[in-house]
Amino acid sequence: VQQLKLAALGRLTASMAHEIRNPLSAVTQAADLLGEEKRADVQARLLRIITDNARRIERMVRDVLALGRRDQLMREVLPVRAVVSQVIEEFGLKGDRELAVFSIDIADELSLAMDRAHLYQILSNLLHNARRHCSGGPGAIRLSAHHEGEDKVRLHVVDDGPGVSEPDQAHLFDPFFTTDARGTGLGLYIARELAESNDASGKFVGNEPGAHFVI
């Protein structure tokens, strides 16, 4: 098992080095040109390239650090609705219209036992994905949760976007697989790994017509 983990870590490290090289090259090239460029509009464009790619690298490093903390568990009983609402508050910084995108159907008394930071990261990754692909209208992203049997809780995240194409479905949870040039391709991979470290699971269950994920 340890050998398999080390082999997987080696592949992830090699992939990450490759993925970081492209935005880092763009940052370096833009910085070199910035020193020679006198036109304000071109300077602004070069600064935007530097900022965007630096943020992409930062997101990638943050995601991999989250993966490194997967074995550092501190489980507690968490009220599901309260944690969901806390994650959604991040989107509210852009205004009430952004908050209206999310529809929550979760009973106040529903709870589950997970590491708080892990659950927050899982939800954040799922919701940022859903927001990127949904229509942006009121209730475009639906969150619901319910008991399954006596000791399990299912948490659903469904958006109203175009859904996931059949060829892409097989690679959704592969590290660095992304259909968004601004994404790191680690969000769903990290979400599933953190869920499994909490004896939970993260799955894509289909299109309705938008993507439907379940924790």
Side-chain angles (χ1 to χ4, degrees):
V1 170
Q2 187 65 20
Q3 286 179 338
L4 287 171
K5 284 185 177 180
L6 287 172
L9 181 61
R11 289 194 297 273
L12 179 63
T13 305
S15 297
M16 182 147 185
H18 176 74
E19 292 296 325
I20 284 179
R21 185 179 291 133
N22 292 333
L24 197 58
S25 175
V27 167
T28 305
Q29 187 175 10
D32 289 342
L33 292 172
L34 190 62
E36 304 169 4
E37 185 57 55
K38 305 302 181 186
R39 290 170 294 178
D41 59 328
V42 178
Q43 283 184 342
R45 185 169 65 84
L46 291 171
L47 281 170
R48 191 165 59 249
I49 290 171
I50 291 171
T51 303
D52 288 348
N53 282 281
R55 285 176 177 165
R56 185 181 174 203
I57 293 171
E58 192 276 332
R59 286 197 304 271
M60 203 178 300
V61 171
R62 180 199 63 201
D63 285 343
V64 169
L65 286 174
L67 183 63
R69 291 192 293 268
R70 60 163 289 170
D71 295 325
Q72 299 171 15
L73 286 179
M74 189 178 293
R75 281 205 189 115
E76 56 183 305
V77 177
L78 301 171
V80 181
R81 185 182 180 93
V83 177
V84 166
S85 298
Q86 187 181 6
V87 177
I88 289 174
E89 280 178 11
E90 288 183 8
F91 296 86
L93 297 174
K94 298 178 182 177
D96 291 342
R97 180 179 294 182
E98 191 67 18
L99 285 177
V101 171
F102 301 90
S103 168
I104 305 175
D105 180 19
I106 302 172
D108 289 334
E109 66 273 11
L110 198 66
S111 62
L112 48 74
M114 285 186 74
D115 180 279
R116 182 183 294 271
H118 287 179
L119 180 57
Y120 193 97
Q121 180 83 38
I122 290 165
L123 283 170
S124 182
N125 288 0
L126 288 176
L127 294 187
H128 276 90
N129 259 11
R131 182 63 188 91
R132 195 152 50 232
H133 296 290
C134 75
S135 68
I141 299 172
R142 307 190 309 277
L143 295 104
S144 61
H146 58 82
H147 278 292
E148 183 181 83
E150 293 183 3
D151 61 348
K152 290 185 180 179
V153 170
R154 277 182 173 259
L155 175 58
H156 302 260
V157 178
V158 187
D159 67 67
D160 68 349
V164 183
S165 69
E166 197 165 332
D168 287 348
Q169 290 179 19
H171 303 287
L172 270 179
F173 294 97
D174 291 354
F176 299 110
F177 173 77
T178 181
T179 57
D180 185 350
R182 296 170 298 172
T184 62
L186 286 170
L188 290 177
Y189 173 67
I190 298 289
R192 187 182 65 178
E193 290 293 309
L194 292 181
E196 289 180 355
S197 72
N198 284 268
D199 296 325
S201 64
K203 296 179 180 179
F204 170 76
V205 294
N207 294 322
E208 299 188 4
H212 180 181
F213 290 91
V214 174
I215 298 297

